[in-house]
Amino acid sequence: SRRAHALKRCSAVTANRAPMASPTAVAPDPAGAAAKAVAPSARETARETAPHASCASDPAGPSSRQGTSSSRRPKPPNPFASDADYLGPISATPQKMVSVMLRVAGVQEGDVVFDLGCNDGRVPITAAVEFGATGVGVEIDEGAVVKARRLATEAGVSDRVTILAQNAVRTTGLEKATVVFVYLLPKGNAKISRKLMRETRPGTTVVTYVFRLPRHEWDSHLETVESVSSTRDRGEKTPGVDTGAFNKVFRYRVPDAKPRWCRENIFERAERLARRVGEVVRRFVHARLPKRVRA
């Protein structure tokens, strides 16, 4: 029968087991045996009720790793980094340093102030509000252009401040400037150095912040270097850390006789003409399109 067959299997299994210790060798401990019998089931119960307990105790566990990855989301790719004329990341000049640079440049009413890479337009806007100058900002980021134009309108100087959505390397009109501001990394300064010298008028003031223009090209035209201990006013009680070692403003003057190194070569001239032709063609095609397609 089934019962007899089950009993036969149990007896066979019992016979194959290792012999148990003699009762006289180990003193009986009913409480300990009960604890040993209960402990495994308690651990399994804990695992079932708290499946992530091991992750919580392990700082490098899956849950902590998931939290870290969600809090550190990858930055979106820079849409301008692939451009051959990319000048570097966008960074706003501290407002205190804007006023310092305008003072160092000697801006006054009637000046035309260009800011190459104006971000939110604070340099041309401040020049118009505080000094009565005309401001022109050049910015490649469309979002920053919209914000700069809005801030100029809110400040009531939209009639004296123009924000151009252009690449600073390809912009035109620098011959109208009396003051040009540049806040770029050294690589950006090196890219725009020849354009500044070639396209600005003699006597134009060029001001850079933190990073100077290439020494071998512009040091002979350097007039002033002013160090500022802090990028904001902290008061006498909390002066903060002195940052004058690198927080500097450099003022240059474009010479009457332009040096040879800034001259446009044949390849640059051909590229400039090709861009101008492309812009004319683009405007012509755009004018021929229906209004609904233009929008």
Side-chain angles (χ1 to χ4, degrees):
S1 66
R2 293 183 180 179
R3 186 173 182 180
H5 182 67
L7 290 173
K8 186 176 181 180
R9 289 183 61 186
C10 289
S11 61
V13 172
T14 305
N16 291 333
R17 285 183 179 176
M20 297 181 63
S22 174
T24 58
V26 180
D29 185 8
K36 290 178 182 178
V38 172
S41 61
R43 284 196 297 270
E44 295 197 2
T45 305
R47 290 194 191 102
E48 292 177 2
T49 56
H52 301 294
S54 60
C55 299
S57 61
D58 182 9
S63 61
S64 62
R65 286 195 295 268
Q66 291 174 2
T68 304
S69 62
S70 62
S71 61
R72 296 181 181 177
R73 295 179 180 177
K75 294 182 179 180
N78 191 328
F80 315 110
S82 60
D83 194 322
D85 293 330
Y86 176 62
L87 294 177
I90 299 173
S91 180
T93 307
Q95 186 59 46
K96 175 185 175 180
M97 298 309 302
V98 171
S99 300
V100 170
M101 292 194 306
L102 292 169
R103 175 180 56 78
V104 171
V107 175
Q108 56 188 353
E109 188 175 356
D111 278 330
V112 179
V113 180
F114 268 68
D115 184 9
L116 303 182
C118 69
N119 198 353
D120 59 4
R122 61 184 62 186
V123 171
I125 291 174
T126 305
V129 171
E130 297 185 5
F131 298 89
T134 300
V136 180
V138 181
E139 178 56 56
I140 193 173
D141 187 279
E142 291 288 348
V145 169
V146 172
K147 182 179 180 180
R149 290 171 178 170
R150 175 176 58 82
L151 292 177
T153 302
E154 293 176 356
V157 291
S158 58
D159 58 328
R160 283 183 284 134
V161 173
T162 304
I163 307 297
L164 304 175
Q166 298 176 356
N167 187 312
V169 175
R170 303 168 191 163
T171 192
T172 58
L174 285 180
E175 68 279 356
K176 303 175 184 177
T178 57
V179 179
V180 181
F181 286 91
V182 179
Y183 177 24
L184 299 170
L185 294 175
K187 288 184 178 180
N189 284 343
K191 281 187 177 183
I192 208 165
S193 170
R194 296 175 66 241
K195 180 182 180 69
L196 288 173
M197 182 64 77
R198 182 174 61 242
E199 298 185 15
T200 54
R201 293 181 300 175
T204 300
T205 300
V206 179
V207 177
T208 67
Y209 175 51
V210 178
F211 302 105
R212 63 201 304 157
L213 293 171
R215 291 176 177 269
H216 64 286
E217 296 174 348
W218 283 87
D219 264 16
S220 58
H221 313 295
L222 180 63
E223 290 185 337
T224 303
V225 180
E226 182 167 328
S227 301
V228 183
S229 61
S230 177
T231 58
R232 53 181 177 168
D233 295 319
R234 301 176 182 270
E236 297 181 357
K237 295 184 178 179
T238 56
V241 179
D242 189 343
T243 59
F246 61 87
N247 191 45
K248 297 180 179 181
V249 177
F250 303 88
R251 187 183 74 190
Y252 303 87
R253 184 78 59 183
V254 177
D256 293 333
K258 299 291 183 75
R260 295 187 62 182
W261 56 261
C262 74
R263 294 178 183 175
E264 189 178 46
N265 58 44
I266 186 171
F267 301 104
E268 293 173 331
R269 187 178 297 110
E271 184 180 5
R272 177 171 57 81
L273 292 175
R275 286 176 181 169
R276 184 174 298 178
V277 171
E279 182 63 21
V280 171
V281 171
R282 188 190 67 80
R283 291 179 180 177
F284 176 79
V285 173
H286 186 268
R288 296 284 178 174
L289 292 175
K291 291 184 178 180
R292 58 184 180 84
V293 177
R294 295 182 204 173

